[in-house]
């Protein structure tokens, strides 16, 4: 830390202790150095003062309950007091630099703690590896207490304040977040707020008939109301967990379960639920989280005769969460999990005056990317990127090729229809392609929630398997392997060029393939998402420095891409971004411009060499990958190749 920043931190320390920020720092008297000053709460009060009226307004609009609101404010103060000083300093720094996450220097990786390193302590010992991947944001997949075998990958939480025993303790978590912060790594976790596990203490009490706790969920003593809901509420897991209600034989009641039967939906109409969940949220934020992913957020408010998705009250709640975190822990970012079509996703950013989430997943772009892989036609992807590029620069998207969930084929079918592609046969084509059934496909993977009546299904597989690495390895086919590696890197290069924050799934950085062992585990066998959630293969990772291996090619390729992304200002989130017509259906051309720097990206989605018929004659360009000079006029691009062409200054 430089002298200047040390001084700034000292000033901030004083500020937390109630001094005026501009006050000159006096040399400390001998013996007084480490004496903690009492927290006067000036910072908290200021933040609360600025936001109190709006928060109260929103709270009263939903709950009309002044005493519960007062309780919420008291507890916010309590959590603020309890927050570690180091975290409070981080908050102050980030309050001063609100765009800290909108640059070109964040690279994320999502990982399951046990799969990656056994337990939390294990993750701490692997931070060198994380750094080698140039990752400075790790998303620790759900690690809170969850019943074995009825956990939905940890998304059924039975205790929001306890870590799963096999993974460690809250102290281990705090030690990990502190170690990460020392290295400049941000930590993200899930906040599963739509539901609890049936093993959560509230659920247990509700099951025993305690009215106070039953009112925290949706309980019905006969099928009448559930059947009204079922008329308008779609299903999340139509095959693995059909219906939105579960009959509890022992309790003689139905309970609402939008996801699995053991995930009971919380009733946010009850202010006790909102308050208690906010306390859990602040408790977790105080463990050192930098990013909190709000799981399944569109679902949290339910009304009869609606789809129970994206209702206006959801936005009120998210806005309140944003305000609460800005008061208690403004260094924490909210990442909304909104897996919906673009019109539904964007409102979760809120407005400039009333922001909601800081970041959202670029889910339609992700699905459209794989559509482009299968069709070798960039038309729809261009349209999708143009839509995203036309949004305000302040919106930060998380870009990814795949995550722990399935790939749902939520594409813009109105546009596809105009080109003669109907939804059902097209989904069928995509699923066939990625299972490796169509000619020219080297992909491997499995369907998810295949409905034999409608023929509908989503898809699961790792990036490398979907690109052909698995097939090529199995068949020892070096030609297919070469193509697979090229395609894998081209897709990452294109993903890194999108505005926002790229996130890798652990294992993808060395091209790990599908893991079929989940089929032997009765707790997982029915859920094909486990095919792409395999354990990190550290033996393969050892080969990452050897360029003659698949692992080395992919690892080093990604490292180079990331170095370029970080070095070039044109990659900041706020740069201008656009697409360019190439007159070649298989080649995507993207442009970025920021403060005099311009980069043009060319990506060939086809297994054949192609020419991009572009005509950029505004100067000389150099390919950042090879260092070669390339004129962006009628550019020949090898099969699955790409260029990052930078305009010379
Ligand atoms: C989110 C998670 C998914 C989980 C669901 C229910 O969509 O990403 O894995 O099944 O929430 O909590």
């Amino acid at each position: 830390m430089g002298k200047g920043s040390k001084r700034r931190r000292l000033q901030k320390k004083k500020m937390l202790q109630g001094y005026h920020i501009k006050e000159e720092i006096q040399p400390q008297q001998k013996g007084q150095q480490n004496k903690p000053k009492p927290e006067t709460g000036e910072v908290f009060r200021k933040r609360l003062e600025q936001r109190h009226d709006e928060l109260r307004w929103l709270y009263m609009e939903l709950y009309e309950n002044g005493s519960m609101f007062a309780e919420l404010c008291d507890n916010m103060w309590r959590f603020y007091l309890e927050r570690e000083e180091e975290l409070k300093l981080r908050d102050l720094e980030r309050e001063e630099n609100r765009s800290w996450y909108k640059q070109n220097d964040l690279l994320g990786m999502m990982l399951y703690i046990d799969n990656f390193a056994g337990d939390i302590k294990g993750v701490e010992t692997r931070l060198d590896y994380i750094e080698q991947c140039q990752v400075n944001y790790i998303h620790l997949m759900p690690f809170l207490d969850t019943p074995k075998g009825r956990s939905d990958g940890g998304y059924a939480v039975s205790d929001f304040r306890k870590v799963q025993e096999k993974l460690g303790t809250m102290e281990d978590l705090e030690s990990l977040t502190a170690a990460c912060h020392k290295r400049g790594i941000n930590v993200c976790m899930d906040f599963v707020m739509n539901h609890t596990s049936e093993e959560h203490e509230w659920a247990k009490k509700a099951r025993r008939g305690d009215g106070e706790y039953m009112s925290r969920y949706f309980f019905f003593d006969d099928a009448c109301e559930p059947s009204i809901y079922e008329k308008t509420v779609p299903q999340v897991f139509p095959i693995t967990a059909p219906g939105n209600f579960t009959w509890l034989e022992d309790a003689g009641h139905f309970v609402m379960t939008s996801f699995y039967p053991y995930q009971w939906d919380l009733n946010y109409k009850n202010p006790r639920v909102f308050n208690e969940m906010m306390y859990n949220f602040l408790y977790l934020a105080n463990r050192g989280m930098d990013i909190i992913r709000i799981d399944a957020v569109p679902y949290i408010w339910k009304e009869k005769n609606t789809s129970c998705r994206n209702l206006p009250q959801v936005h009120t709640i998210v806005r309140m969460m944003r305000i609460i975190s800005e008061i208690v822990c403004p260094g924490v970012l909210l990442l909304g999990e909104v897996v919906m079509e673009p019109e539904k996703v964007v409102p979760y950013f809120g407005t400039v005056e009333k922001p909601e989430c800081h970041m959202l997943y670029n889910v339609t772009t992700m699905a459209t990317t794989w559509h482009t892989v299968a069709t070798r036609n960039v038309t729809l992807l261009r349209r999708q990127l143009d839509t995203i590029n036309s949004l305000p620069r302040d919106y930060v998207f998380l870009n990814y090729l795949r995550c722990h969930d399935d790939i749902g084929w939520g594409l813009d079918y109105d546009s596809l229809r105009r080109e003669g592609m109907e939804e059902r046969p097209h989904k069928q084509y995509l699923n066939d392609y990625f299972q490796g059934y169509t000619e020219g496909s080297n992909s491997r993977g499995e369907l998810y929630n295949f409905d034999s009546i409608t023929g509908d299904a989503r898809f699961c597989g790792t990036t490398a398997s979907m690109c052909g690495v698995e097939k090529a390895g199995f068949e020892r086919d070096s030609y297919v392997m070469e193509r697979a590696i090229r395609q894998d890197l081209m897709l990452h290069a294109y993903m890194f060029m999108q505005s926002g924050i790229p996130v890798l799934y652990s294992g993808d950085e060395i091209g790990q393939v599908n893991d079929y062992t989940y089929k032997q585990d009765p707790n997982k066998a029915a859920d094909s998402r486990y095919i792409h959630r395999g354990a990190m293969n550290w033996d393969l990772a050892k080969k990452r420095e050897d360029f003659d291996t698949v692992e080395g090619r992919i690892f080093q390729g990604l490292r180079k891409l990331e170095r370029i992304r970080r070095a070039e200002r044109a990659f900041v989130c706020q740069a201008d971004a656009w697409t360019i017509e190439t007159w070649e259906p298989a080649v995507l051309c993207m442009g970025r411009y920021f403060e005099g720097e311009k980069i043009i990206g060319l990506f060939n989605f086809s297994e054949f060499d192609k020419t991009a018929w572009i005509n950029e004659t505004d100067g000389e360009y150099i390919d950042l990958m090879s260092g070669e000079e390339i004129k962006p006029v009628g550019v020949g691009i090898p099969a699955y190749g790409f260029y990052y062409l930078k305009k010379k200054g």
Side-chain angles (χ1 to χ4, degrees):
M1 199 189 296
K3 259 193 182 161
S5 68
K6 206 165 192 177
R7 189 186 148 91
R8 275 199 299 280
R9 268 180 106 78
L10 261 172
Q11 281 180 324
K12 285 194 188 110
K13 235 178 199 173
K14 291 221 160 193
M15 193 176 156
L16 286 175
Q17 289 154 358
Y19 292 85
H20 194 270
I21 190 161
K22 290 215 175 89
E23 189 187 7
E24 261 318 297
I25 299 169
Q26 300 298 328
Q28 289 203 321
Q29 305 252 312
K30 225 181 163 192
Q32 272 195 351
Q33 266 97 330
N34 297 321
K35 226 177 181 182
K37 294 259 166 40
E39 167 70 77
T40 66
E42 194 198 334
V43 170
F44 178 86
R45 258 197 303 279
K46 242 196 210 148
R47 289 184 190 145
L48 182 63
E49 239 168 61
Q50 280 168 5
R51 295 165 179 88
H52 172 273
D53 291 356
E54 191 196 343
L55 183 59
R56 187 180 163 84
W57 178 274
L58 296 172
Y59 194 93
M60 292 314 236
E61 191 179 77
L62 278 194
Y63 299 125
E64 288 178 51
N65 190 328
S67 58
M68 288 293 287
F69 179 70
E71 185 206 276
L72 175 68
C73 293
D74 284 351
N75 277 289
M76 277 158 50
W77 167 238
R78 193 166 62 82
F79 280 105
Y80 173 79
L81 274 183
E82 178 197 290
R83 194 161 169 79
E84 289 282 334
E85 186 163 352
E86 268 307 308
L87 298 176
K88 286 182 181 167
L89 289 173
R90 225 169 149 78
D91 291 336
L92 291 176
E93 275 166 11
R94 290 179 173 177
E95 265 184 319
E96 267 176 32
N97 176 18
R98 286 178 195 268
S99 295
W100 68 270
Y101 61 100
K102 298 180 183 171
Q103 307 308 314
N104 50 338
D105 57 353
L106 277 179
L107 174 63
M109 178 178 278
M110 38 196 313
L111 54 95
Y112 271 101
I113 293 169
D114 49 354
N115 284 343
F116 182 70
D119 57 16
I120 297 178
K121 285 199 171 105
V123 176
E124 203 174 323
T125 64
R126 295 279 187 192
L127 292 181
D128 284 346
Y129 177 77
I130 300 276
E131 280 187 332
Q132 279 171 30
C133 298
Q134 300 185 79
V135 163
N136 52 6
Y137 145 19
I138 50 172
H139 176 180
L140 304 172
M141 300 301 290
F143 53 78
L144 294 176
D145 217 15
T146 184
K148 193 167 183 314
R150 292 170 82 74
S151 79
D152 184 23
Y155 285 97
V157 177
S158 52
D159 188 340
F160 289 93
R161 308 220 177 170
K162 187 167 177 264
V163 172
Q164 289 167 38
E165 262 162 35
K166 65 169 190 188
L167 300 179
T169 62
M170 276 297 169
E171 288 70 43
D172 295 344
L173 181 69
E174 282 176 81
S175 155
L176 173 63
T177 54
C180 284
H181 291 168
K182 277 202 190 107
R183 295 176 184 239
I185 300 172
N186 296 283
V187 184
C188 169
M189 76 173 287
D190 285 85
F191 182 52
V192 187
M193 68 182 292
N194 176 68
H195 42 260
T196 73
S197 150
E198 61 179 352
E199 295 289 316
H200 189 279
E201 60 158 316
W202 298 355
K204 286 196 208 153
K205 287 182 180 159
R207 198 193 269 274
R208 288 200 291 268
D210 185 332
E212 149 74 21
Y213 291 91
M214 287 167 84
S215 72
R216 298 186 186 191
Y217 299 94
F218 294 89
F219 269 76
F220 302 102
D221 51 13
D222 62 32
C224 186
E225 292 221 22
S227 65
I228 299 176
Y229 278 103
E230 291 290 16
K231 281 191 191 133
T232 53
V233 184
Q235 303 190 31
V236 183
F237 300 140
I239 306 304
T240 44
N244 287 290
F245 293 86
T246 299
W247 171 250
L248 306 173
E249 193 62 52
D250 50 346
H253 274 80
F254 283 96
V255 67
M256 186 184 261
T257 53
S258 304
F259 292 83
Y260 279 111
Y262 50 80
Q263 290 166 305
W264 294 10
D265 288 70
L266 285 168
N267 181 1
Y268 279 89
K269 284 187 182 162
N270 181 345
R272 174 56 58 208
V273 168
F274 177 77
N275 280 24
E276 294 296 333
M277 289 303 283
M278 287 308 100
Y279 307 154
N280 286 332
F281 166 71
L282 293 174
Y283 171 84
L284 295 168
N286 277 356
R287 309 284 67 79
M289 292 304 139
D290 299 278
I291 301 164
I292 293 197
R293 173 185 183 272
I294 324 174
D295 181 61
V297 63
Y299 301 79
I300 59 178
W301 194 274
K302 323 288 197 286
E303 291 291 345
K304 257 182 286 180
N305 303 315
T306 72
S307 65
C308 294
R309 309 278 194 271
N310 309 301
L311 297 181
Q313 293 85 345
V314 174
H315 290 279
T316 307
I317 289 180
V318 179
R319 176 69 191 139
M320 286 200 285
M321 285 178 80
R322 173 77 179 246
I323 298 175
I324 291 168
S325 64
E326 280 180 355
I327 296 168
V328 182
C329 48
V332 175
L333 302 177
L334 299 182
L335 161 63
E337 192 226 358
V338 186
V339 179
M340 306 257 158
E341 53 274 41
E343 316 79 86
K344 307 263 173 57
V345 173
V346 169
Y348 286 88
F349 282 118
T351 61
V352 177
E353 298 79 29
K354 296 185 189 327
E356 295 178 21
C357 293
H358 297 84
M359 308 188 295
L360 294 168
Y361 287 90
N362 203 347
V363 54
T364 306
T365 303
M366 183 276 292
T368 311
T369 302
W370 292 108
H371 151 93
T372 313
V373 167
T375 58
R376 290 83 144 180
N377 185 319
V378 303
T379 314
L380 190 69
L381 185 56
R382 250 197 98 188
R383 199 164 298 143
Q384 167 64 17
L385 292 172
D386 289 345
T387 305
I388 297 285
N389 290 338
S390 65
L391 296 172
R393 298 273 176 275
D394 266 334
Y395 291 178
V396 177
F397 280 102
L398 274 193
N399 299 309
Y400 60 118
L401 292 172
R402 63 96 166 190
C403 66
H404 68 298
D405 280 331
D406 48 291
I407 300 172
W409 300 119
L411 307 172
D412 175 1
Y413 288 102
D414 287 338
S415 293
L416 284 178
R417 217 161 286 129
R418 286 196 290 275
E419 277 147 44
M421 284 178 244
E422 289 296 329
E423 179 167 344
R424 263 199 57 186
H426 187 58
K427 278 186 181 168
Q428 173 84 48
Y429 170 75
L430 295 173
N431 284 327
D432 285 349
Y433 179 91
F434 287 110
Q435 286 176 98
Y437 296 163
T438 63
E439 222 189 299
S441 164
N442 296 312
S443 170
R444 290 289 180 268
E446 289 181 348
L447 299 186
Y448 181 66
N449 269 270
F450 170 64
D451 183 335
S452 54
I453 296 165
T454 63
D456 202 48
R458 285 119 76 173
F459 192 78
C460 299
T462 70
T463 306
S465 281
M466 291 175 77
C467 288
V469 171
E470 180 181 333
K471 180 184 182 220
F474 188 70
E475 294 173 1
R476 296 178 187 279
D477 185 330
S478 56
Y479 176 73
V480 172
M481 185 62 91
E482 180 60 29
R483 272 181 24 179
I485 295 170
R486 291 176 65 83
Q487 188 180 33
D488 187 300
L489 285 173
M490 181 278 290
L491 288 176
H492 280 97
Y494 138 81
M495 194 259 282
F496 279 27
M497 195 159 175
Q498 293 169 35
S499 295
I501 302 172
V503 179
L504 307 170
Y505 191 95
S506 157
D508 278 8
E509 76 282 8
I510 51 163
Q512 248 182 245
V513 297
N514 291 334
D515 174 13
Y516 296 89
T517 58
Y518 79 96
K519 291 177 195 285
Q520 277 115 50
D521 181 341
N523 293 326
K524 295 179 177 165
D527 195 330
S528 51
R529 288 177 298 177
Y530 287 102
I531 196 178
H532 55 226
R533 295 177 182 171
M536 177 73 191
N537 188 330
W538 289 104
D539 283 336
L540 289 183
K542 282 186 197 139
K543 302 189 202 164
R544 65 187 178 276
E545 296 302 338
D546 180 354
F547 197 72
D548 291 332
T549 63
V550 176
E551 295 72 24
R553 293 267 307 275
I554 295 181
F555 189 86
Q556 293 178 47
L558 292 185
R559 191 157 60 189
K560 185 155 187 188
L561 289 175
E562 181 54 13
R563 285 203 178 126
I564 294 175
R565 200 180 71 93
R566 261 179 222 192
E568 299 297 333
R569 296 287 292 154
F571 285 100
V572 298
C573 292
Q574 273 146 325
D576 290 339
W578 67 98
T579 64
I580 298 167
E581 179 60 74
T582 63
W583 307 104
E584 165 46 64
V587 178
L588 178 73
C589 183
M590 297 160 88
R592 296 190 70 82
Y593 176 88
F594 188 72
E595 293 180 349
E597 296 197 10
K598 179 176 168 190
I599 293 182
I600 290 175
L602 285 166
F603 309 93
N604 183 354
F605 278 76
S606 136
E607 64 272 47
F608 302 108
D609 298 352
K610 297 281 177 188
T611 301
W613 299 106
I614 56 170
N615 192 24
E616 300 281 310
T617 49
D618 57 349
E620 291 178 354
Y621 284 76
I622 187 157
D623 174 30
L624 293 172
M625 289 300 288
S626 62
E628 266 170 53
E629 222 171 272
I630 294 184
K631 239 197 195 138
V633 177
V635 188
I637 316 167
Y640 295 130
F642 68 93
Y643 294 123
Y644 277 166
L645 304 182
K646 184 182 179 186
K647 191 175 157 205
K648 284 200 198 163

